[in-house]
Amino acid sequence: MEDLSIYIHIPFCNSKCYYCDFISFTGQENKVEAYISSLITELSLYKKDLKDYKIKTIFIGGGTPSAIDPIYIYRVLDYLYSNFNTHEDMEVSIELNPGTLSLEKLNIYKQAGINRVSIGLQTFNNNILGSLGRRHHAEEFFSSLDMVKEVGFNNINVDLIFGLPDQNLTDGMIDITTLVQLGVHHISYYSLIIEPNTPMYKWHQEGKLHLMDEDSERKLYHQVKEFLKYEGYVHYEISNFSLDGYQCKHNMVYWNIKPYLGVGLSSHSYLMGKRFWNTSKLNDYLDSLSEGNLPVEDEELISKEIEIAEYCIFGLRLIQGINKREFFNRFGVDLRDIYGHTIEKHKKAGLLIEDDRYLRLTDRGLDLANLVEVDFLP
Ligand SMILES: C[S@@+](CC[C@H](N)C(=O)[O-])C[C@H]1O[C@@H](n2cnc3c(N)ncnc32)[C@H](O)[C@@H]1O
Ligand code: SF4
């Protein structure tokens, strides 16, 4: 049986952060019940086709999954466990927002088989949290983390964003040193992306944001990398660090281009040589499923050429790089036969480095990853 990962999208938030372009809604609590029933219908429509797969990881993301009643999360997971093949040692993750938790809620997650939690903190600086449109303060993060530990979760990720408006190098280092003292197992450290169609994009266009310059942003990233290494964290993907053995198995599936099914609004899937994705319109999603139809908006057949390019682009985001033997085993061709010229060009520029087993980005290459990646496109 082939391994499968499942992504479940929960598109509800208590408020919309100014930088965020993920598909999520506020003030739609009256649709939660119908949404969860639709999710279960959607899963039921895949049940027959996926009978030869075995679920290895599940990720419940959003939006804010912890904004809705935990019994809904329990219901969806219970359906999955009862109707699909599952591995005994499955990784089951959920995204949580500070200020939305209680011991009771976390206990229901535990009973539902969730064994990894991912808390969105972004920064400890309360002024900056306010200017991002976050509803919580650092203090609520501390109490959320205490609760998560009290209930017995022992695989905890925290998301930070750096390069935030009004953040300087010192603020950035305070965030990471404070977090490390709390002993979390995994840290996702994202560089702020100013996404179109967000309030922050508009303010940026109007010149109203005070962002650190690019050199300072890179300096902060390098200092954080050094500090985390010193503290025993393994840097395993451009934006991800973990204590030994706590890499996120679900995200590794995306980065290694292995099969996954996404259910829920706007979710993407990669399965049976196809990439397909759901509608982003809530009413269309609910209507399709109430008529017993999949809410798939479109699909793309993945040619071998595209699969190879994606494998390389994601592989280079991993700090260990592309495993050349695995590449050969998967595609039946040598990496150099396809990309020899590109590899030489970027090695000369000091952006790629190679040994017998791996091809990877150098430290400088990690800063300029986009430049290298475009040369791997077909
Ligand atoms: C899908 S979001 C949801 C997490 C959760 N709702 C929260 O806000 O805490 C996952 C993570 O993506 C990151 N993120 C979202 N928008 C971003 C942006 N524009 N730039 C960088 N990171 C972003 C944040 O760190 C966030 O915690
Ligand atoms: S960052 Fe999280 S809480 Fe904020 S709008 Fe996006 S999904 Fe919702």
Side-chain angles (χ1 to χ4, degrees):
M1 266 189 201
E2 200 173 349
D3 287 347
L4 178 71
S5 287
I6 305 270
Y7 173 77
I8 301 166
H9 191 68
I10 305 292
F12 303 103
C13 288
N14 290 334
S15 62
K16 195 77 199 172
C17 306
Y18 302 143
Y19 56 85
C20 179
D21 79 336
F22 285 85
I23 302 292
S24 69
F25 307 100
T26 58
Q28 300 273 12
E29 292 74 16
N30 57 339
K31 300 221 166 113
V32 174
E33 177 87 38
Y35 184 80
I36 297 298
S37 303
S38 302
L39 269 181
I40 290 174
T41 307
E42 190 181 1
L43 285 168
S44 73
L45 295 174
Y46 284 109
K47 185 174 155 180
K48 217 166 97 211
D49 286 344
L50 298 181
K51 66 179 182 346
D52 294 330
Y53 284 88
K54 199 166 187 183
I55 302 176
K56 185 83 185 154
T57 70
I58 300 174
F59 194 101
I60 305 165
T64 306
S66 56
I68 65 172
D69 193 317
I71 204 67
Y72 291 125
I73 304 290
Y74 187 96
R75 236 205 256 164
V76 176
L77 288 175
D78 190 44
Y79 182 84
L80 268 171
Y81 303 150
S82 317
N83 291 279
F84 290 79
N85 306 310
T86 54
H87 279 275
E88 252 182 32
D89 63 344
M90 244 186 323
E91 176 189 91
V92 187
S93 307
I94 188 166
E95 284 183 335
L96 312 175
N97 277 39
T100 62
L101 301 180
S102 64
L103 288 174
E104 191 196 353
K105 192 179 268 189
L106 290 165
N107 270 311
I108 296 176
Y109 293 156
K110 227 156 189 231
Q111 285 160 26
I114 291 170
N115 52 25
R116 181 177 186 273
V117 298
S118 175
I119 311 177
L121 166 64
Q122 324 313 348
T123 174
F124 285 99
N125 185 312
N126 282 338
N127 291 330
I128 298 179
L129 283 173
S131 64
L132 296 176
R134 300 287 293 176
R135 277 168 76 106
H136 59 90
H137 287 143
E139 293 67 28
E140 278 156 307
F141 168 77
F142 288 118
S143 57
S144 298
L145 187 63
D146 285 345
M147 281 192 263
V148 159
K149 288 180 176 173
E150 189 178 332
V151 170
F153 286 102
N154 52 17
N155 191 350
I156 303 171
N157 169 61
V158 175
D159 291 338
L160 288 179
I161 306 182
F162 69 103
L164 293 167
D166 298 318
Q167 186 184 49
N168 59 31
L169 269 169
T170 311
D171 295 322
M173 286 313 290
I174 290 175
D175 278 349
I176 202 75
T177 47
T178 312
L179 186 54
V180 164
Q181 278 168 19
L182 299 171
V184 296
H185 310 82
H186 190 288
I187 298 172
S188 293
Y189 194 63
Y190 298 119
S191 168
L192 174 68
I193 300 171
I194 308 278
E195 301 281 5
N197 302 318
T198 59
M200 206 170 256
Y201 185 83
K202 184 169 166 279
W203 299 330
H204 189 47
Q205 297 290 89
E206 293 167 354
K208 288 183 183 158
L209 294 185
H210 302 111
L211 296 173
M212 64 173 83
D213 61 65
E214 212 177 309
D215 283 351
S216 308
E217 200 236 29
R218 286 297 92 191
K219 191 168 170 198
L220 174 57
Y221 178 68
H222 285 277
Q223 282 183 8
V224 164
K225 276 200 306 190
E226 281 306 304
F227 173 70
L228 288 177
K229 189 172 163 195
Y230 177 79
E231 293 290 335
Y233 286 83
V234 181
H235 186 197
Y236 73 101
E237 194 269 349
I238 289 194
S239 308
N240 287 283
F241 302 81
S242 78
L243 296 178
D244 213 14
Y246 288 92
Q247 294 185 351
C248 177
K249 293 182 185 139
H250 186 84
N251 283 340
M252 288 302 285
V253 166
Y254 296 150
W255 298 324
N256 285 314
I257 326 251
K258 300 249 173 83
Y260 57 87
L261 171 73
V263 290
L265 206 61
S266 75
S267 61
H268 285 234
S269 304
Y270 174 71
L271 209 52
M272 299 179 246
K274 272 193 310 191
R275 203 176 283 291
F276 50 95
W277 51 94
N278 280 351
T279 174
S280 300
K281 297 190 181 111
L282 184 54
N283 285 337
D284 289 357
Y285 177 82
L286 299 176
D287 290 347
S288 289
L289 285 157
S290 70
E291 289 160 15
N293 299 320
L294 282 174
V296 172
E297 184 177 270
D298 211 346
E299 66 173 44
E300 186 190 6
L301 287 176
I302 304 295
S303 64
K304 187 169 169 193
E305 207 184 15
I306 293 180
E307 191 182 335
I308 287 177
E310 290 185 350
Y311 185 87
C312 289
I313 290 168
F314 282 109
L316 288 174
R317 293 186 64 92
L318 296 172
I319 303 308
Q320 70 167 25
I322 301 167
N323 182 321
K324 294 193 273 187
R325 181 179 289 272
E326 271 177 26
F327 183 94
F328 182 81
N329 290 342
R330 179 160 173 166
F331 299 110
V333 54
D334 212 89
L335 183 62
R336 273 201 164 264
D337 288 346
I338 305 177
Y339 292 116
H341 180 72
T342 304
I343 293 171
E344 280 316 308
K345 173 180 149 191
H346 290 298
K347 272 171 79 175
K348 269 199 198 114
L351 303 181
L352 281 178
I353 188 168
E354 192 177 21
D355 60 27
D356 288 351
R357 296 178 61 204
Y358 290 98
L359 173 74
R360 62 176 158 272
L361 290 165
T362 59
D363 262 4
R364 213 167 82 78
L366 286 171
D367 287 338
L368 300 170
N370 294 346
L371 267 185
V372 181
E373 283 168 15
V374 288
D375 279 347
F376 280 81
L377 289 172

